[in-house]
Amino acid sequence: MIGRIDEEIGFMSKALNLHAQRQQLLAGNIANADTPNYKAVDIDFSRALQTAMGSGDAVGLNRTAPGHLQAKDSNPFGARTLYRQPAQPSIDGNTVDMDVERTQFIDNAIRYQFALDRVSGKFKEMQLALSSQ
Amino acid sequence: MSLFNLFDISGSAMTAQSQRLNVVASNLANADSATSSTGQPYRAKQVVFSATPLGGSNGAAAGVRVDRVIDDPAPMKMMYDPKSPLADAKGYVTMPNVNAVEEMVNMISASRSYQSNADVMNTAKTLLLKTLQLGQ
């Protein structure tokens, strides 16, 4: 039974975790809007989610010899952080574009709330199935 | 719960930006201080920001801190005022190298960034409170 619940909720809870991670990255970008030489980072969300669900190919380095080290990922979900391409490079080497970051931040916040709502909905469905009315 | 890190990140940025505002206030206040406790005219101060990567699960996210406060290397202003007790042999007084225009630009930039980070914090708060209502 617990396994079934996990199946029902698993996908959305993974998405929720990834959204929370991405929200952190975007907040870091906004925080560092005035830091010289700071490079804005983000993750490829859909690819990260595929990797988290085990259907995508995990991004990483091929190890062709036994002595090669495993490339350590900074993210537990296997989402590799990528650098944003600046539309207008600035003179202090900072690549944060405030419009882009704020748009992505709000967008991601709404998606987070959507995932939250779906998880909540699943629980309500189960309660409905369990109730005898 | 990684959403709590948003408070650390944005909080550090707000602290850094308010320090920047403090420095701007100090520079503008002392724009005409031709002497000080050391006997030297006031030199403009500038903050240097640096990104501080967060430890733990998400190494890519970073907060900010004021790395150091430097003396502005711009040359001092020389003002001709032979009547002043501070004048040198040629009648010039060394005045602080505060550029009022630059300081005003800095002030606006710092206050805008502060507001942005306050907005981020508000969003984080909303999301966390929504998360607490899960399953109700």
Side-chain angles (χ1 to χ4, degrees):
Chain A
M1 179 64 201
I2 294 294
R4 289 275 307 136
I5 293 176
D6 198 41
E7 265 172 50
E8 289 279 341
I9 306 221
F11 175 74
M12 271 303 164
S13 70
K14 281 202 172 75
L16 205 54
N17 268 325
L18 265 179
H19 278 308
Q21 287 277 340
R22 182 157 184 248
Q23 201 74 342
Q24 224 186 101
L25 289 181
L26 295 172
N29 288 346
I30 293 175
N32 282 291
D34 298 323
T35 310
N37 293 317
Y38 176 83
K39 308 296 180 208
V41 287
D42 199 359
I43 52 176
D44 182 348
F45 188 85
S46 58
R47 193 166 176 183
L49 190 55
Q50 277 174 4
T51 310
M53 292 309 291
S55 57
D57 50 334
V59 283
L61 298 172
N62 284 335
R63 293 191 296 165
T64 51
H68 286 177
L69 297 174
Q70 179 70 49
K72 198 178 153 294
D73 229 320
S74 60
N75 198 312
F77 300 96
R80 193 171 50 161
T81 46
L82 308 166
Y83 290 106
R84 222 191 267 302
Q85 290 297 323
Q88 309 173 74
S90 63
I91 202 162
D92 64 352
N94 181 301
T95 62
V96 178
D97 191 342
M98 210 52 162
D99 327 322
V100 174
E101 299 304 333
R102 291 190 71 156
T103 313
Q104 294 294 333
F105 187 84
I106 292 295
D107 177 278
N108 195 54
I110 289 168
R111 284 169 201 273
Y112 178 91
Q113 293 197 29
F114 169 74
L116 211 52
D117 188 69
R118 290 322 315 133
V119 173
S120 228
K122 282 280 179 221
F123 280 124
K124 283 200 179 73
E125 276 173 30
M126 279 180 216
Q127 267 171 340
L128 192 69
L130 289 171
S131 67
S132 56
Q133 289 161 21
Chain B
M1 187 68 210
S2 60
L3 274 181
F4 278 109
N5 285 339
L6 260 72
F7 289 122
D8 298 341
I9 294 170
S10 301
S12 73
M14 283 161 89
T15 309
Q17 297 291 353
S18 64
Q19 280 198 41
R20 188 177 167 199
L21 268 175
N22 269 329
V23 165
V24 168
S26 161
N27 287 349
L28 283 175
N30 285 296
D32 293 322
S33 305
T35 184
S36 64
S37 56
T38 60
Q40 293 300 308
Y42 177 84
R43 282 198 88 94
K45 307 267 186 292
Q46 301 294 351
V47 290
V48 179
F49 285 174
S50 75
T52 53
L54 255 69
S57 63
N58 203 344
V64 206
R65 69 186 171 89
V66 173
D67 193 41
R68 58 192 185 276
V69 180
I70 57 167
D71 282 348
D72 199 327
M76 300 302 254
K77 286 199 194 83
M78 302 304 277
M79 192 177 71
Y80 185 68
D81 185 9
K83 291 194 298 295
S84 167
L86 298 165
D88 60 7
K90 289 180 178 162
Y92 282 93
V93 181
T94 313
M95 293 300 279
N97 57 349
V98 176
N99 183 337
V101 177
E102 257 178 43
E103 297 305 329
M104 293 304 283
V105 170
N106 246 330
M107 182 181 84
I108 293 166
S109 171
S111 63
R112 288 276 184 276
S113 298
Y114 191 92
Q115 284 170 27
S116 289
N117 284 292
D119 288 351
V120 167
M121 266 196 167
N122 260 327
T123 308
K125 188 187 82 175
T126 311
L127 291 181
L128 278 167
L129 290 176
K130 278 255 162 64
T131 313
L132 283 178
Q133 291 169 7
L134 190 65
Q136 281 178 15

